[in-house]
Amino acid sequence: MPFLGQDWRSPGQNWTKTQEGWKKTTADEKNNNVSVESFCKAEEEECFNKENRLISLSYDMAAKKRKKDQMNNNIKVPYFHREKWIYVHKGSTKERHGYCTLGEAFNRLDFCSAIKETRRFNYVVRLLELIAKSKLPSLSGVAQKNYMNILERVVQKVLDDQQNVRPIKELLQMLYISLCGLVQDMGKSVLVGNINTWLHRMENILQWQQQLDNIQIKRPTSTGMSLTDLPVSLQLNIMQRLKDGRDLVSLGQVCPELGPLTEDRLLWKRLCQYHFTDRQIRKRLMVSDKGQLEWKKMYFKLSRCYPHREEYIDTLHFCSHCHILFWKDTNHPCTANNPDSCTMALSPQGFINLFNF
């Protein structure tokens, strides 16, 4: 008579009765003797679950690929922040870790609304120009996308309003030249993203330049008094408010009647004295055959050697007391508690220099 219980000589084995007699089986063999029906059922369930997993995985991969393609080409990155002021911290403290970068400030400040306001438009355009010149590689990937989106809105505004065409064409030309050099250095961590993405953006820049070249400014259909109908003294007074000599030249080309007035020596003298210092003017003196100073020629010669004076109606301000960066007409927390806080207006170059640390 065989031993019916667990065999103490072979732990984990049992005696089972079969048609051929008693046999000794292990726990693994017992588990393998599953019924055919349960095995097939489990196999079907496993296949069904596997199919569902593959389908969901393919859907996820397709969705991710579609989202990536849209982000790279078509979808405009939203303006994540539209804050009126931000805190600029240049070092880590117990309360704050890290520091504020140029890209973070560019993303968080409300540049989207700034380009819609006439008082801030030139300021933002100049800032975009400085970034395109030397600071584009220092921006994060999100900031670089945000830069291109803001630039597209600027171009669209110029096309709609038919104003400020020349500065935007110069901005696009500078940006395209900078990108041509940066794309050649791809792989050296100068630009974030795929090279095809940047080539696509360069194609957009060329298209914007073509649109600006083909723009046709429509004359206003007004029956009232025009500039040529005003007295000469008023015409000169209006011309004196133009801060770019190229505008004077364009005015003389558009209105031949005003051509002699645009050559007025006093106009060009005031332009030179407005943009350049006396020392700079003395270094570039040009005298005509009649012994008179050629102020118009001196102006364009000085423009090639020295930067123009920059003046903006509305600018960003920085509070040295609380380290808040804000727009001029925005009240930040420091002014509410301390109206005499030390604030200073920042030029576009001053805004860039604020993050050079």
Side-chain angles (χ1 to χ4, degrees):
M1 182 70 183
F3 186 71
L4 299 180
Q6 184 177 3
D7 191 355
W8 61 272
R9 293 169 297 181
S10 53
Q13 295 179 343
N14 293 324
W15 287 98
T16 56
K17 186 177 182 180
T18 63
Q19 295 180 356
E20 300 176 356
W22 291 90
K23 288 186 177 180
K24 188 166 55 174
T25 60
T26 61
D28 294 336
E29 292 176 352
K30 185 176 182 180
N31 293 335
N32 290 335
N33 294 330
V34 205
S35 62
V36 177
E37 294 181 359
S38 61
F39 178 78
C40 293
K41 186 177 180 181
E43 191 72 21
E44 290 178 359
E45 291 180 356
E46 185 178 354
C47 292
F48 181 74
N49 294 334
K50 188 175 180 180
E51 268 184 39
N52 288 339
R53 284 197 301 270
L54 289 174
I55 293 174
S56 62
L57 182 61
S58 62
Y59 283 154
D60 291 342
M61 292 178 64
K64 287 181 180 179
K65 186 177 184 303
R66 184 168 58 252
K67 184 178 179 181
K68 183 178 179 181
D69 292 341
Q70 289 174 345
M71 289 292 288
N72 286 338
N73 298 322
N74 302 325
I75 293 300
K76 306 297 179 293
V77 177
Y79 298 90
F80 297 99
H81 302 277
R82 295 188 178 182
E83 302 179 15
K84 299 294 183 181
W85 56 266
I86 62 171
Y87 178 80
V88 180
H89 50 287
K90 298 185 178 181
S92 299
T93 62
K94 292 182 179 180
E95 294 81 12
R96 294 179 180 270
H97 295 281
Y99 54 89
C100 184
T101 62
L102 175 63
E104 182 182 354
F106 189 77
N107 280 334
R108 294 176 59 189
L109 283 173
D110 190 11
F111 288 105
C112 179
S113 301
I115 60 178
K116 299 178 182 179
E117 298 186 16
T118 306
R119 299 176 305 163
R120 299 177 182 175
F121 182 81
N122 291 332
Y123 185 89
V124 177
V125 170
R126 177 58 178 165
L127 182 59
L128 294 176
E129 183 180 347
L130 292 176
I131 293 176
K133 191 174 182 180
S134 60
K135 294 296 181 180
L136 191 60
S138 65
L139 300 182
S140 64
V142 176
Q144 290 176 358
K145 287 184 178 181
N146 198 25
Y147 178 92
M148 298 302 299
N149 293 330
I150 293 178
L151 180 61
E152 183 176 0
R153 291 202 170 194
V154 169
V155 174
Q156 190 60 45
K157 176 177 173 58
V158 172
L159 291 174
D160 295 340
D161 299 344
Q162 296 185 343
Q163 297 178 2
N164 302 305
V165 178
R166 185 176 59 242
I168 304 305
K169 291 173 66 174
E170 294 175 352
L171 168 61
L172 293 177
Q173 182 65 20
M174 177 179 293
L175 178 60
Y176 186 82
I177 294 174
S178 299
L179 288 179
C180 287
L182 294 175
V183 167
Q184 294 177 0
D185 295 333
M186 287 293 286
K188 299 180 182 179
S189 301
V190 292
L191 289 175
V192 180
N194 192 294
I195 186 174
N196 294 326
T197 303
W198 285 102
L199 293 177
H200 177 73
R201 292 171 179 171
M202 293 176 66
E203 292 176 0
N204 290 338
I205 293 175
L206 294 177
Q207 292 178 2
W208 296 336
Q209 288 178 327
Q210 187 67 30
Q211 292 175 359
L212 292 175
D213 290 337
N214 297 334
I215 191 172
Q216 295 181 355
I217 300 178
K218 301 178 182 178
R219 290 181 177 270
T221 56
S222 60
T223 57
M225 184 177 294
S226 62
L227 180 61
T228 55
D229 299 329
L230 296 175
V232 176
S233 59
L234 290 180
Q235 292 175 352
L236 286 173
N237 192 5
I238 293 174
M239 294 180 188
Q240 289 174 2
R241 302 178 185 275
L242 299 177
K243 298 180 181 179
D244 195 335
R246 293 173 296 180
D247 293 334
L248 276 178
V249 175
S250 299
L251 180 60
Q253 294 174 348
V254 173
C255 300
E257 302 88 349
L258 300 177
L261 288 181
T262 58
E263 299 293 333
D264 185 71
R265 295 179 64 254
L266 185 58
L267 287 176
W268 294 100
K269 178 181 178 180
R270 290 185 176 180
L271 273 177
C272 291
Q273 293 176 343
Y274 175 80
H275 288 288
F276 311 108
T277 63
D278 294 338
R279 184 179 180 182
Q280 293 172 344
I281 293 175
R282 286 195 299 268
K283 288 183 177 181
R284 298 291 187 273
L285 289 178
M286 299 180 67
V287 184
S288 64
D289 297 336
K290 298 180 180 180
Q292 297 179 345
L293 292 176
E294 298 283 353
W295 289 106
K296 181 178 179 179
K297 295 181 179 179
M298 287 169 55
Y299 170 82
F300 288 106
K301 188 174 182 179
L302 288 166
S303 300
R304 292 191 294 268
C305 301
Y306 306 105
H308 283 195
R309 176 183 175 184
E310 296 181 7
E311 190 174 287
Y312 304 98
I313 302 175
D314 194 1
T315 64
L316 285 168
H317 282 62
F318 181 71
C319 179
S320 58
H321 178 73
C322 62
H323 299 282
I324 292 292
L325 185 64
F326 62 99
W327 287 105
K328 180 181 178 180
D329 59 350
T330 305
N331 293 325
H332 66 286
C334 182
T335 56
N337 302 325
N338 184 17
D340 299 329
S341 60
C342 301
T343 60
M344 59 179 180
L346 293 178
S347 64
Q349 186 62 54
F351 174 82
I352 299 293
N353 295 337
L354 187 64
F355 301 95
N356 292 337
F357 46 81

